[in-house]
């Protein structure tokens, strides 16, 4: 019974792997914080992993949903021992996207996306003698995204994209672009399943 199930699963996956109109893709990016704000000045990108699913096609436009998860890190060490802490920011970014299909340049796929981003900040270490380990905070806001993908093969593509996140602020945080704007450039590789 297990052999038949395994054979059926392999058959389905092999048929799906040869289909030309893949609706699902997985992506891995290197996120680069840019701009002069609290993320761009203090954080470095680690990784961003995502998945996209196209659920509809309107004349040369694929409409779908995507989700990305990423990690940014801020390592602070002033060499005096007063500030020796790390803050990791975990990003969760669900979006709706539209991808343009250009018949004359079939390998290029420009896209735009709109959604919402959650940034979970998790600190560990010491700051001025106080242990900040375990302190966390979640910020969130709207997300706009655009980019372009280029097909290397029918299944593998590279892409570059820009994410703009406008975070909501609480009453204690000044409502300035330094505190609310997050700008990320993502360069990566994708695979259509």
């Amino acid at each position: 019974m297990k052999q038949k199930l395994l054979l059926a699963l392999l058959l389905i996956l092999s048929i799906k792997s040869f289909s030309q109109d893949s609706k699902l893709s997985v992506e891995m990016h290197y996120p680069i914080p840019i701009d002069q704000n609290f993320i761009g000045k203090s954080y470095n990108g680690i990784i961003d992993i995502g998945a996209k699913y196209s659920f509809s096609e309107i004349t040369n436009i694929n409409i779908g949903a995507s989700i990305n998860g990423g990690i940014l890190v801020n390592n602070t060490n002033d060499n005096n021992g007063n500030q020796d802490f790390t803050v990791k920011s975990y990003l969760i970014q669900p979006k709706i996207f539209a991808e343009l299909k250009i018949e004359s340049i079939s390998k290029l796929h420009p896209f735009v996306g709109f959604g919402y981003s959650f940034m979970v900040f998790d600190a560990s270490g010491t700051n001025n003698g106080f242990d900040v380990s375990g302190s966390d905070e979640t910020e969130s806001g709207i997300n706009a995204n655009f980019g372009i993908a280029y097909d290397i093969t029918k299944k593998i593509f590279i892409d570059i994209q820009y994410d703009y996140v406008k975070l909501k602020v609480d009453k204690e945080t000044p409502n300035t672009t330094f505190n609310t704007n997050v700008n990320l450039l993502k360069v990566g590789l994708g695979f259509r399943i």
Side-chain angles (χ1 to χ4, degrees):
M1 181 69 176
K2 287 183 181 178
Q3 292 172 339
K4 289 182 182 179
L5 183 61
L6 182 61
L7 183 60
L9 183 61
L10 285 173
L11 181 61
I12 291 169
L13 288 175
S14 64
I15 290 170
K16 183 68 177 164
S17 69
F18 289 107
S19 68
Q20 293 183 9
D21 295 327
S22 299
K23 294 184 180 277
L24 179 66
S25 65
V26 292
E27 305 170 346
M28 184 170 62
H29 298 101
Y30 176 66
I32 305 165
I34 55 176
D35 206 356
Q36 297 297 315
N37 54 30
F38 79 104
I39 294 289
K41 284 187 161 224
S42 304
Y43 285 79
N44 295 311
I46 302 295
I47 193 166
D48 178 83
I49 298 173
K52 283 184 174 179
Y53 181 74
S54 297
F55 53 76
S56 181
E57 183 176 340
I58 304 168
T59 312
N60 293 330
I61 299 175
N62 287 331
I63 308 292
S66 69
I67 187 161
N68 284 67
I71 301 173
L72 305 174
V73 68
N74 172 3
N75 289 315
T76 301
N77 185 341
D78 67 0
N79 295 325
N80 295 328
N82 295 331
Q83 294 183 321
D84 187 13
F85 62 91
T86 300
V87 180
K88 291 182 182 170
S89 177
Y90 302 97
L91 281 83
I92 302 166
Q93 299 177 295
K95 295 185 219 64
I96 298 294
F97 71 90
E99 179 183 74
L100 183 62
K101 291 168 47 175
I102 305 169
E103 290 183 23
S104 60
I105 314 171
S106 62
K107 290 185 177 239
L108 284 178
H109 307 281
F111 57 88
V112 296
F114 296 98
Y116 205 77
S117 289
F118 302 92
M119 297 183 77
V120 179
F121 296 93
D122 184 26
S124 63
T126 59
N127 186 10
N128 295 320
F130 294 101
D131 185 12
V132 295
S133 299
S135 61
D136 64 357
E137 182 178 339
T138 301
E139 302 287 339
S140 60
I142 59 169
N143 179 209
N145 159 273
F146 67 89
I148 190 161
Y150 178 78
D151 294 341
I152 296 172
T153 68
K154 289 182 180 179
K155 294 289 180 188
I156 299 171
F157 60 93
I158 56 174
D159 73 349
I160 186 167
Q161 54 185 290
Y162 167 77
D163 273 277
Y164 170 77
V165 180
K166 181 72 170 176
L167 297 174
K168 294 185 293 185
V169 293
D170 55 25
K171 293 178 182 177
E172 291 112 28
T173 307
N175 190 1
T176 64
T177 57
F178 184 85
N179 294 323
T180 60
N181 293 358
V182 177
N183 298 281
L184 297 171
L185 186 65
K186 298 179 184 178
V187 179
L189 182 68
F191 181 74
R192 291 184 184 90
I193 299 176

